[in-house]
Amino acid sequence: VQLQASGGGLVQAGGSLRLSCAASGRTFSKPTMGWFRQAPGKEREFVAIINWSGDTAYAGSVKGRFTISRDNARNTLYLQMNSLKPEDTALYYCAEGPPGATMIVDFHSWGQGTQVTVSS
């Protein structure tokens, strides 16, 4: 599978962005998809995941502000980010993993990342 993330940019604190991730091909029949992020000098961290059925899980730091969704027919993953904060600044990656994937190490296919910068 190839993953292409887009939609990042520069936004003021309190603003919104919507990330998209287009998938071509598929490694698993009903993959779990996720968004992760990495800020400079920090490790990559979990943001949100969604399984084939639409069940979701979020990091505590984004819960209530971010919404992950997917369009299985279009092979596209989304991340709606509202009420953005400067600490959300990072390179955001989309990833595909097997059904039931929950941890970063479970995800085998990664996109190239899209930069999100939130100014104060």
Side-chain angles (χ1 to χ4, degrees):
V1 64
Q2 290 187 331
L3 303 172
Q4 181 73 37
S6 61
L10 174 63
V11 65
Q12 288 188 332
S16 298
L17 283 174
R18 189 192 196 204
L19 305 184
S20 298
C21 176
S24 57
R26 185 173 289 161
T27 304
F28 306 101
S29 61
K30 294 184 177 181
T32 292
M33 303 295 294
W35 288 100
F36 302 84
R37 67 187 182 186
Q38 187 167 17
K42 295 187 177 181
E43 292 187 353
R44 192 171 299 187
E45 65 176 8
F46 161 79
V47 175
I49 58 172
I50 183 168
N51 68 11
W52 186 259
S53 301
D55 299 318
T56 59
Y58 296 91
S61 59
V62 307
K63 198 168 187 179
R65 300 187 297 122
F66 291 10
T67 302
I68 188 172
S69 61
R70 65 191 294 172
D71 184 334
N72 292 331
R74 296 177 182 268
N75 285 342
T76 304
L77 176 72
Y78 303 99
L79 184 69
Q80 177 67 43
M81 304 185 295
N82 298 329
S83 302
L84 282 161
K85 304 175 180 180
E87 51 263 44
D88 294 317
T89 295
L91 191 58
Y92 282 70
Y93 297 90
C94 56
E96 180 192 272
T102 57
M103 300 174 64
I104 289 180
V105 294
D106 296 332
F107 290 80
H108 303 288
S109 299
W110 293 82
Q112 85 291 356
T114 185
Q115 179 67 39
V116 172
T117 303
V118 184
S119 63
S120 57

